[in-house]
């Protein structure tokens, strides 16, 4: 047995002596910290636009990063919005641009994430506009949006503080201890007071896949995985599928993973389509059952086309939120689809521990809705 041992995880590296931790280095998206005998000796606070160093809690250095100049070179000094959010958050930006296209038609969209183009395609932006205005760049500044004028002047900024939540132009998005839906925070970033939810009621796709997409089939779209909120367990999905098949449903499991392959049979199909085709498939389904993920944001207007939604919120957060005391309250307020849409149409399950109750509730509501 080694007296001195190095132990590593995804976020920490520790040196242990006889099982006692001597030194621990922790790397998070928001900070890098060094502990000696559990005492914080050094910390580097990492924000996309500023890195600040502390020694024994005292600030010793601060480095500003000129992001607008770096990104303006990519945009060839044209007006641009840089956005380093994934599809769920990007959806609200894309919808706002769609609703106010004359205002944004000459603005470039810069992102590290090439797949966000699918959200624009789903919303029926013209292909020529997407090709000329959506630019994939190499710069990666996590959870940050910048709106810059052609003169290389910063107009607005949205950022995610991993201890406080969303911030718009350096101000925390909170009022009377309540967090606004992220859709409204992003609207504020764009100079609007709130997100216009009327789009979700009116949104219809241009027909392409199915001429019968307005006819509901006995099908369910199951979305079991989320990069941010974790996965639905194989055991949970197995019992859920048994109940759905007993009601006569065919289930489409949206996944690239092999995790759920053992559940596939004549009544259960594995799919992984682009966003627009997924939306059109959803139009033919009775319901969407999903872990809370960005794809749910992009599909949410299906609920106003008489598709039922059952959304499960796991009690999970990444290590870089470890100092966010109100993380689960923030997550619930900022990302509840009912909160975003000012409605009760979505069936949302927050941090449910009684999965048997959850399963029964989903199946009962499907029965109550008829046609099963």
């Amino acid at each position: 047995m080694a007296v001195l041992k190095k132990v590593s995880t995804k976020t920490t590296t520790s040196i242990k002596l006889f099982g006692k931790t001597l030194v621990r280095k922790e790397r998070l998206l928001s900070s890098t910290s060094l502990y000696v005998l559990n005492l914080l000796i050094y910390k580097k606070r990492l924000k996309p636009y500023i890195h600040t160093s502390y020694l024994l809690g005292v600030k010793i250095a601060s480095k500003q990063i000129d992001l607008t100049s770096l990104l303006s070179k990519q945009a060839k000094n044209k007006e641009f919005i840089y956005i380093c959010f994934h599809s769920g958050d990007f959806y609200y930006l894309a919808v706002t641009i769609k609703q106010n296209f004359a205002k944004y038609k000459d603005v470039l969209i810069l992102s590290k994430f090439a797949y966000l183009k699918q959200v624009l395609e789903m919303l029926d932006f013209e292909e020529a506009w997407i090709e000329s205005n959506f630019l994939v760049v190499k710069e990666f500044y996590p959870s940050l949006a910048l709106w810059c004028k052609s003169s290389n002047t910063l107009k607005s900024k949205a950022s995610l503080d991993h201890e406080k939540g969303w911030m718009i132009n350096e101000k925390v998005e909170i009022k009377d201890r309540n967090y606004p839906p992220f859709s409204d925070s992003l609207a504020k970033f764009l100079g609007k007071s709130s997100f216009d939810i009327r789009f979700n009621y009116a949104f219809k796709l241009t027909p392409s896949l199915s001429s019968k997409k307005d006819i509901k089939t006995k099908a369910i779209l199951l979305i079991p995985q989320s990069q941010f909120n974790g996965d639905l367990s194989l055991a949970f999905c197995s019992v859920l599928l048994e109940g759905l098949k007993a009601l006569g449903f065919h289930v489409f499991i949206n996944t690239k993973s092999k995790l759920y392959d053992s559940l596939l049979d004549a009544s259960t199909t594995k799919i992984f389509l682009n966003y627009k085709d997924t939306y059109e498939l959803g139009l033919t389904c009775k319901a969407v059952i999903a872990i809370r993920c960005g794809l749910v944001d992009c599909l949410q207007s299906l609920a106003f086309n008489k598709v039922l939604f059952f959304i499960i919120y796991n009690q999970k957060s990444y290590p870089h939120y470890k100092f966010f005391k109100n993380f689960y309250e923030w997550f619930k307020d900022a990302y509840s689809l009912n909160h975003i849409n000012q409605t009760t149409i979505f069936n949302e399950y927050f941090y449910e521990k009684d999965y048997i109750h959850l399963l029964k509730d989903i199946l009962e509501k499907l029965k109550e809705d008829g046609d099963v």
Side-chain angles (χ1 to χ4, degrees), residues 23 112-113 127 134 160 163:
V23 180
K112 172 73 173 179
F113 305 130
E127 184 178 344
F134 180 75
L160 177 56
E163 297 178 20

Side-chain angles (χ1 to χ4, degrees), residues 5-8 12-16 21-25:
K5 188 176 181 181
K6 182 178 179 180
V7 180
S8 298
T12 64
T13 300
S14 302
I15 304 297
K16 294 178 179 286
T21 301
L22 296 180
V23 180
R24 175 165 56 92
K25 187 173 185 179

Side-chain angles (χ1 to χ4, degrees), residues 55-108:
L55 183 64
L56 295 173
V58 178
K59 183 166 74 171
I60 59 173
S62 182
K63 179 183 179 182
Q64 295 280 345
I65 301 171
D66 185 5
L67 299 188
T68 55
S69 293
L70 292 172
L71 292 166
S72 288
K73 290 179 182 179
Q74 302 288 320
K76 297 182 178 179
N77 293 316
K78 295 180 180 178
E79 184 175 7
F80 70 88
I81 294 174
Y82 169 83
I83 184 161
C84 200
F85 307 152
H86 287 286
S87 60
D89 302 314
F90 180 70
Y91 170 86
Y92 302 102
L93 172 66
V95 166
T96 303
I97 292 174
K98 180 81 173 179
Q99 292 173 321
N100 304 273
F101 188 71
K103 180 179 180 179
Y104 296 102
K105 64 182 178 67
D106 296 324
V107 178
L108 303 182

